[in-house]
Amino acid sequence: MDWSVMWSNRDLYGAGLWATVELSVAAIATCTLLGLVIAAIRTSRIPVLAQLARCYLEVFRGTPLLVQMLFIYFGAVYLNIGNITVFGAALLALTLFQGAYVAEIFRAGIEAVPHGQWEASRVLGLTRAQTFRSVILPQTRSIVLPRWSASTSRSSRTPRSPSSSATPNCSARARPSWTGWDTPARRTWRSPSCTSSSVPRCRSSSGGWRERP
Amino acid sequence: MITKSPTERTPATTAQVALSGVHKRFGELEVLKGIDIEVGAGEVVVLIGASGSGKSTLLRIMCDLERADRGEVWVNGVPLHDRKRAPEIFGHVGMVFQQFNLFPHHTALGNVTLALRKVRKTGRKEADERGREALARVGLAEKAAAYPAQLSGGQQQRVAIARALAMDPAIMFFDEPTSALDPELVGEVTGVMRSLADEGMTMVVVTHEMRFARDTADRVVFMDGGVVLEQGTPERVFGSPTEARTQQFLQRVLDT
Ligand SMILES: Nc1ncnc2c1ncn2[C@@H]1O[C@H](COP(=O)(O)OP(=O)(O)O)[C@@H](O)[C@H]1O
Ligand SMILES: [Mg+2]
C-alpha cells in the first residue's frame, strides 16, 4: 500500500490519536470509579439501590458498546439534550459499558474476601464503610488488578466488530481522515481509536499493574 | 418478637452477660430452644457440647453477629434485643474466631491498631504504643512488624487476641480458638487465655480443650440440642455429671 498517503496526513492522524488518548484516559478513570461505586452498592444489602445496580449491570452487559454509543449519541441529538459532543457521547457510552464490566470485576474481588473479615471488623466497631475501605478493598487487589487491565484492553476489540462504519464517529477530530481512505489504512487506524485500550495495555505489558501484591 | 418496650427496662441482674428465653432458628432448623444464661463480672464460663448443639450461634448472639428471634440478651449493659441500641456493643467486647480472621494485608501491629485508629480515632503514636502493649501481653512484642502469613497459627491467634484486647473490651468471647491449630501450638494460646482469666477478664469460651476447662473455668455449661442441659463447677460437671447425655459426651471427648 501507499504509506506516503499516511505520512502526508500525519497531522490528522496526530489529532485523531490525541483524541483517542484523551478519551482512553478519561474513560478508564470514569469507568473505574463508576465500577467501584456500582460494585460497592451491588454487594451491599441496601434493598432498592442494590437492585438498581443489578439492573444497570444486566442492561449494559447485555448490549454491544456500539449500540450503546449510537443510542446515546443519536438519542441525545434527537431529544436535543444539551449539545452533546461526539467526544462526550463516546465517553459516556464507554464509561457506562466498561463500568459494568469493571463493576463485576470489583464484585468478584469483594466476594472473594472471606466473610470472617467483615465479622471481625464489625465486632471491633468498624462501620461497613470503614470495613469496605480499610479491610476489604485492599484485599481485592490481587484479583481485581489483572482482570481490570485485561478488561480495559479487551474493550479495544469490542467496537472493532463487523463493518462499523460509525466507529470513526468516536473521534470527532479524526473524522476527516477517514473519508476517502482505502480499506487497509482504515483498518490500521480503527483499532486504537474509539477504545480505552492504549494506556492500560502499555502498563500491563510493562508489568506495572500486575506485580503489585 | 419483642412485645414490651425493651428500652425502658434495665437488666434484672448486674451480670455482664444475661440471656433469658433466647430462641434462634435458621429456616426449619431450631438451633436454640430457650437459653437462660448469666455470666458475672470476672467469671470464666466454658461452653461445651457436641458439634451442632448451638454453641457458636449462642456466642455470636452475645456479640450481635446473629440476632435472637426471641428472648432478651443483655451484654455489658446493652440490650442486644433492641435493634436500635444493639450496635453500641461493637468495640466494647472482643471476639476470637476459630479461623483467626486477621487482616492479611496489615502487620501484626497494623491489625492490633486498626480499630483504635478508625473507631477510637486514637493518634498513630498513641495507637502504636497501645498496640505494642497488647502484643506484649500475648508475648509477641517482637513480632509487631510481621504479616500474618509470616506467623505460625498459634502466633496468629495470639495476635487476634491482642487485636481484641487493644480495644480494652469488657468481655472476651472465644469460639474454638485452638481448633484450627496443630496440637503442639495449642498450649501457647490457652496459656494466654489463662493469664487473661487470672487478670480478672470476663470470658465466655467455646472449646474442646477439656484441660483448659478443668483448670481455668469457673463454670462449665453443657449444651445439647439447643438447650443448656447441665452446668456447674468443672469439678462437679466433669466429676459427677447428672445427665446421661453429659456422661456420654464427656466419655467421648475424654477418650480421644
Ligand atoms: N447461618 C446459618 N444458616 C443456617 N444454618 C446454620 C447457620 N449457622 C449455624 N447453622 C446450623 O445451626 C446448627 C448449630 O450450629 P452451631 O451454633 O455452629 O453449633 P456448634 O458451634 O455447637 O457446632 C448447625 O446445625 C448449623 O448447621
Ligand atoms: Mg461452633
Side-chain angles (χ1 to χ4, degrees), chain A:
Chain A
M1 64 182 270
D2 184 5
W3 291 97
S4 66
V5 163
M6 291 180 72
W7 178 248
S8 60
N9 283 290
R10 60 191 180 280
D11 287 351
L12 285 173
Y13 279 128
L17 187 63
W18 181 240
T20 302
V21 169
E22 273 184 328
L23 181 62
S24 303
V25 172
I28 288 166
T30 51
C31 79
T32 302
L33 201 68
L34 179 71
L36 182 57
V37 171
I38 294 291
I41 295 172
R42 174 79 177 80
T43 53
S44 76
R45 275 168 236 132
I46 310 167
V48 179
L49 279 181
Q51 283 303 309
L52 283 176
R54 195 173 161 171
C55 291
Y56 159 74
L57 292 175
E58 304 245 316
V59 169
F60 281 87
R61 292 193 57 201
T63 50
L65 175 60
L66 189 59
V67 172
Q68 292 173 25
M69 279 187 171
L70 293 173
F71 195 80
I72 287 172
Y73 181 63
F74 291 111
V77 170
Y78 183 72
L79 296 173
N80 205 10
I81 297 171
N83 38 359
I84 194 162
T85 60
V86 175
F87 186 89
L91 180 59
L92 186 60
L94 267 176
T95 301
L96 290 172
F97 175 80
Q98 200 58 20
Y101 279 91
V102 172
E104 289 295 58
I105 291 165
F106 273 115
R107 183 162 79 102
I110 292 163
E111 286 177 351
V113 177
H115 194 62
Q117 296 283 306
W118 287 99
E119 295 189 338
S121 307
R122 182 149 167 232
V123 177
L124 284 167
L126 276 79
T127 63
R128 271 194 76 90
Q130 285 173 329
T131 304
F132 186 76
R133 220 185 60 75
S134 304
V135 177
I136 307 300
L137 207 51
Q139 294 184 57
T140 65
R141 264 195 297 239
S142 62
I143 287 188
V144 165
L145 285 181
R147 295 191 200 175
W148 176 85
S149 56
S151 151
T152 41
S153 68
R154 192 185 320 118
S155 73
S156 68
R157 289 191 285 278
T158 319
R160 228 192 298 169
S161 54
S163 68
S164 48
S165 60
T167 308
N169 280 337
C170 293
S171 168
R173 269 177 292 172
R175 187 190 280 155
S177 70
W178 272 295
T179 47
W181 284 101
D182 59 55
T183 322
R186 281 176 65 174
R187 283 231 183 84
T188 314
W189 279 100
R190 205 181 274 165
S191 71
S193 70
C194 197
T195 69
S196 53
S197 69
S198 345
V199 172
R201 190 184 275 165
C202 295
R203 300 206 76 152
S204 71
S205 58
S206 74
W209 287 104
R210 285 179 198 279
E211 281 162 22
R212 297 251 296 269

Side-chain angles (χ1 to χ4, degrees), chain B residues 191-212:
Chain B
V192 165
M193 292 165 64
R194 190 163 302 137
S195 68
L196 280 181
D198 291 344
E199 290 166 25
M201 177 69 75
T202 308
M203 291 162 59
V204 182
V205 183
V206 174
T207 186
H208 295 298
E209 288 297 314
M210 292 304 148
R211 192 135 63 91
F212 173 83

Side-chain angles (χ1 to χ4, degrees), chain B residues 4 7 54 65 71-72 82 94 104 109 113 123 130 146 154 168 170 172 179 193 209 233 243 248-249 251:
Chain B
K4 288 166 244 170
T7 36
L65 287 175
E72 286 195 11
D82 180 349
L109 187 64
T113 55
R130 284 173 58 185
D168 205 10
M172 286 284 286
S179 294
M193 292 165 64
E209 288 297 314
T233 61
E243 300 288 329
Q248 283 167 16
F249 173 79
Q251 221 141 49

Side-chain angles (χ1 to χ4, degrees), chain B residues 3 9 71 98 127-128 191:
Chain B
T3 46
R9 290 183 286 164
Q98 183 176 340
D128 282 358

